[in-house]
Amino acid sequence: MVEKIIALDKKAFVFLNSLGSETYDGFWLILTKQWTWIPFFLLLFYLLQQKIGWRNLGIALVYIGLLMFLCDQSANLFKVTFERLRPCNDPEIKDLIRIVKPSVTYSFFSAHAANSMAAMVFAYSLLKRYYKFGLWIFVFPLVFAYSRIYLGVHFPGDILFGYLFGGFFGWLFFKHYSKKYFQAI
């Protein structure tokens, strides 16, 4: 069963990765960098500050920082435990794919996907009562994580597991935050 899932994951990766072209490689290399998203984060912080105030924003940012630490370190622990090769290093498919950004570390699971989803689930949970179109913030983790497939460094399963991991902890941290701080807003 696990072998079938891994085979399907590799097949999906080869298909998604093959959609790229050299023309757009630079664009995706830029999108995969966290600093590229600073204007988005600043807008998000502004919207949050306008609704929950400076004090609660500061507390929320501490929670988000803790979430990032948890997701990042958990991803590192999973990577050294499972030692799944990145697509760009997988001998079974590396000659079939586009490798835009080589990497020597392991693949399972994507810290980019976990971090971005955790932060957006937490932020969305804060914003949903104020903004009708708050779901749009999930474009960020979708694009950010797809860049990892495009570049040849993560399988779709790595991304999906990262989303589930990050989404769960983003929700859990929000539940804790909301019991302690959000009800007073």
Side-chain angles (χ1 to χ4, degrees):
M1 179 65 164
V2 172
E3 293 82 19
K4 286 184 180 183
I5 293 171
I6 291 172
L8 181 62
D9 198 23
K10 287 182 181 186
K11 190 174 185 176
F13 172 83
V14 170
F15 170 75
L16 292 170
N17 176 263
S18 73
L19 298 174
S21 74
E22 285 184 33
T23 306
Y24 298 106
D25 289 354
F27 172 75
W28 287 101
L29 282 165
I30 291 169
L31 281 184
T32 203
K33 300 287 184 195
Q34 290 89 341
W35 58 264
T36 302
W37 295 91
I38 288 175
F40 169 75
F41 297 138
L42 291 175
L43 174 62
L44 192 57
F45 294 159
Y46 172 77
L47 294 173
L48 282 168
Q49 187 280 325
Q50 291 296 299
K51 297 302 180 184
I52 67 174
W54 285 110
R55 180 182 178 278
N56 286 316
L57 175 63
I59 295 166
L61 291 177
V62 169
Y63 272 75
I64 291 171
L66 290 171
L67 265 171
M68 298 290 141
F69 180 78
L70 172 74
C71 290
D72 202 57
Q73 294 311 306
S74 296
N76 288 337
L77 179 63
F78 272 64
K79 286 174 183 175
V80 298
T81 301
F82 290 99
E83 295 185 344
R84 183 179 192 192
L85 294 176
R86 290 189 181 266
C88 57
N89 300 322
D90 188 323
E92 189 178 322
I93 63 167
K94 75 178 188 178
D95 294 330
L96 304 173
I97 63 171
R98 300 180 68 255
I99 301 170
V100 180
K101 185 180 186 233
S103 179
V104 295
T105 60
Y106 294 114
S107 184
F108 182 76
F109 62 89
S110 170
H112 278 77
N115 283 331
S116 61
M117 187 58 77
M120 292 307 103
V121 165
F122 188 89
Y124 172 74
S125 299
L126 287 171
L127 290 172
K128 70 181 178 183
R129 68 166 61 164
Y130 305 113
Y131 297 104
K132 190 182 224 180
F133 301 104
L135 284 172
W136 281 101
I137 68 172
F138 288 103
V139 168
F140 162 64
L142 293 173
V143 171
F144 194 51
Y146 175 73
S147 72
R148 311 306 289 164
I149 294 170
Y150 184 97
L151 298 174
V153 294
H154 277 297
F155 291 101
D158 303 335
I159 304 291
L160 182 60
F161 190 87
Y163 279 162
L164 294 172
F165 187 92
F168 173 74
F169 282 101
W171 172 81
L172 196 64
F173 274 50
F174 173 74
K175 288 297 180 189
H176 185 269
Y177 173 88
S178 66
K179 283 185 178 161
K180 290 192 76 148
Y181 305 104
F182 203 51
Q183 293 169 349
I185 298 172

